């Protein structure tokens, strides 16, 4: 079986429910996503943060979890770290640079990677599995974010990633833009979507019947919202 890693991208969040401390909110979202990933089978798990947000990773990770420091909170920056490539603006990934001849060599010998948003606290593990599944026959897969806003829930790719993959913004990229960059439409798989918590309407999409998301649930209950 291919060596795979699922990375939670703990980017800054743009919205916090009224009456909730922004730091507590971000921490609760991150902790629930990290807890979910820790329960996955047959994959390694990690988190990715900028150096300024290392405090958040240290607060929510499980013992032994790998933390990748990235120059910017984007999937492309995570891919660069995992292939030992130089990051944007000439920065080196925290886990080391690639070979001297410039040939990509994957860090920790991973063959596949999935990057998921850090603000989807009730994300089912099955949805993550479906994001990885197409990589047996496709080089890239994306899962859209549900709701009225553009953006991605996650992106998965074989390593090293194909040269045609464009810069990805988890809050703005849509699958059609990625497919337009591919040499062939079939090079991209679009997998089932899930919601992220990026605005008031997203709270209604949380399913109290789903296991998990205890930290987000507790925080919302303390703020007088049902969860």
């Amino acid at each position: 079986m291919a060596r795979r890693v699922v990375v939670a991208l703990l980017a800054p969040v743009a919205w916090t429910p009224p009456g909730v401390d922004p730091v507590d909110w971000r921490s609760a979202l991150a902790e629930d996503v990290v807890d979910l990933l820790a329960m996955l089978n047959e994959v390694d798990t990690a988190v990715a943060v900028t150096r300024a947000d290392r405090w958040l990773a240290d607060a929510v990770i499980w013992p032994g979890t790998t933390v990748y420091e990235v120059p910017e909170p984007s999937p492309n920056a995570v891919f660069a770290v995992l292939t030992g490539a130089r990051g944007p603006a000439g920065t080196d990934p925290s886990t080391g640079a690639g070979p001297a001849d410039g040939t990509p060599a994957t860090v920790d010998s991973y063959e596949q990677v999935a990057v998921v948003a850090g603000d989807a606290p009730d994300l089912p593990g099955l949805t993550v599995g479906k994001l990885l599944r197409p990589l047996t026959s496709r080089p890239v897969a994306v899962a859209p974010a549900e709701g009225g806003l553009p953006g991605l829930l996650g992106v998965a790719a074989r390593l090293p990633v194909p040269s045609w993959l464009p810069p990805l913004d988890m809050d703005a990229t849509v699958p059609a833009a990625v497919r337009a960059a591919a040499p062939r439409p079939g090079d991209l798989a679009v997998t089932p979507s899930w919601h992220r918590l990026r605005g008031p309407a997203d709270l209604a999409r949380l399913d109290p019947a789903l296991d998990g998301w205890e930290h987000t649930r507790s925080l919302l209950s303390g703020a007088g919202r049902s969860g």
Side-chain angles (χ1 to χ4, degrees), residues 105-120:
T106 59
V107 174
D108 296 325
S109 299
Y110 289 120
E111 299 169 77
Q112 300 176 1
V113 57
V115 179
V116 298
D119 54 5

Side-chain angles (χ1 to χ4, degrees), residues 80-184:
V81 167
L82 285 168
T83 54
R86 294 180 68 86
T91 57
D92 285 323
S94 62
T95 50
D101 63 3
T103 302
T106 59
V107 174
D108 296 325
S109 299
Y110 289 120
E111 299 169 77
Q112 300 176 1
V113 57
V115 179
V116 298
D119 54 5
D122 63 340
L123 175 64
L126 184 60
T127 302
V128 180
K130 289 179 178 179
L131 178 61
L132 284 162
R133 189 175 302 161
L135 298 185
T136 57
S137 59
R138 316 279 184 92
V140 180
V142 295
E146 284 185 1
L149 298 174
L152 301 173
L153 166 72
V155 55
R158 298 177 190 164
L159 295 176
V161 296
S163 59
W164 56 260
L165 189 68
L168 303 174
D169 183 334
M170 295 291 277
D171 291 326
T173 298
V174 295
V178 185
R179 177 164 282 134
R184 296 172 296 275

Side-chain angles (χ1 to χ4, degrees), residues 1-222:
M1 179 176 291
R3 286 206 67 206
R4 304 180 295 179
V5 61
V6 181
V7 182
L9 182 59
L10 305 185
V13 297
W15 174 79
T16 302
V20 176
D21 180 82
V23 173
D24 291 344
W25 176 246
R26 189 179 179 193
S27 298
L29 295 176
E31 191 159 7
D32 283 334
V33 172
V34 169
D35 286 354
L36 173 276
L37 296 189
M39 298 294 103
L40 298 178
N41 296 318
E42 300 180 344
V43 297
D44 291 340
T45 60
V47 301
V49 292
T50 62
R51 181 167 298 178
D53 286 334
R54 180 62 191 242
W55 63 270
L56 178 61
D58 291 340
V60 302
I61 59 172
W62 288 41
T65 302
T66 299
V67 178
Y68 296 112
E69 287 191 7
V70 291
E72 62 179 20
S74 73
N76 302 78
V78 177
F79 299 150
V81 167
L82 285 168
T83 54
R86 294 180 68 86
T91 57
D92 285 323
S94 62
T95 50
D101 63 3
T103 302
T106 59
V107 174
D108 296 325
S109 299
Y110 289 120
E111 299 169 77
Q112 300 176 1
V113 57
V115 179
V116 298
D119 54 5
D122 63 340
L123 175 64
L126 184 60
T127 302
V128 180
K130 289 179 178 179
L131 178 61
L132 284 162
R133 189 175 302 161
L135 298 185
T136 57
S137 59
R138 316 279 184 92
V140 180
V142 295
E146 284 185 1
L149 298 174
L152 301 173
L153 166 72
V155 55
R158 298 177 190 164
L159 295 176
V161 296
S163 59
W164 56 260
L165 189 68
L168 303 174
D169 183 334
M170 295 291 277
D171 291 326
T173 298
V174 295
V178 185
R179 177 164 282 134
R184 296 172 296 275
D187 286 339
L188 177 73
V190 179
T191 64
S193 61
W194 194 257
H195 49 264
R196 296 167 54 192
L197 298 189
R198 296 187 288 170
D202 295 321
L203 293 179
R205 297 185 174 93
L206 288 168
D207 186 350
L210 285 176
D211 291 335
W213 64 284
E214 285 89 356
H215 305 283
T216 303
R217 192 192 312 256
S218 176
L219 199 59
L220 289 173
S221 297

